[in-house]
Amino acid sequence: MLNAQPSKEHLQAGSSVPNLKLLQAIINKFLENTEEFFTSYLEKTGKAWWVEIVTKKPDCTYYFGPFASHREAQVSQLGYIEDLERERPQLIAIEIKQCQPKELTIFDDEGREKIDRKMSRSISA
């Protein structure tokens, strides 16, 4: 286990503490780059997670993402909902799904048709 507190020898040398901070910065940057690469790969293969929000007045479908996991998308969705609520739309549906949206905002009734089909299926089931 890595000891977070430097020893007396390290403090006397004076150079190890800055080296530890530099190492931590390098590790953090590596992890950030790895996550970005992984998310980019998932997006290109259609396996990334997206938050889909369908609104009425305006009739729009919004996609927010990409995310590496369902959980990451789920945690982020509240912020997107809050941002959209400032425009005062009527929220119709929110879904987290794996997809590859061609557009991030769709201004037509395409989203409404998807909701109507889903509601028809659930009613007939």
Side-chain angles (χ1 to χ4, degrees):
M1 182 172 189
L2 181 62
N3 185 358
Q5 298 217 344
S7 66
K8 289 181 183 179
E9 295 81 26
H10 286 125
L11 289 175
Q12 289 172 351
S15 62
S16 295
V17 174
N19 287 339
L20 185 59
K21 289 181 182 180
L22 177 61
L23 180 61
Q24 185 64 44
I26 291 169
I27 290 170
N28 288 341
K29 189 65 175 171
F30 173 78
L31 293 174
E32 181 182 311
N33 288 341
T34 302
E35 183 178 355
E36 287 175 14
F37 174 78
F38 182 64
T39 303
S40 176
Y41 170 77
L42 291 175
E43 182 180 13
K44 288 176 183 165
T45 60
K47 302 289 185 185
W49 291 91
W50 292 81
V51 177
E52 178 189 69
I53 301 176
V54 179
T55 65
K56 184 173 183 168
K57 297 180 185 178
D59 292 343
C60 292
T61 301
Y62 300 93
Y63 290 95
F64 299 96
F67 298 98
S69 69
H70 184 278
R71 177 77 177 129
E72 185 181 354
Q74 189 176 32
V75 167
S76 299
Q77 76 178 346
L78 184 59
Y80 300 126
I81 293 167
E82 288 173 354
D83 286 346
L84 286 176
E85 285 179 339
R86 291 183 191 134
E87 298 173 20
R88 300 189 187 271
Q90 179 182 355
L91 294 177
I92 301 293
I94 301 166
E95 185 176 356
I96 297 172
K97 61 185 184 177
Q98 287 179 303
C99 64
Q100 199 171 20
K102 293 182 177 119
E103 296 179 54
L104 298 181
T105 304
I106 302 169
F107 293 100
D108 62 17
D109 290 330
E110 186 178 318
R112 199 76 49 246
E113 292 169 12
K114 290 192 305 188
I115 296 301
D116 291 343
R117 283 194 301 268
K118 283 182 184 178
M119 289 178 73
S120 296
R121 278 185 271 166
S122 65
I123 291 171
S124 63

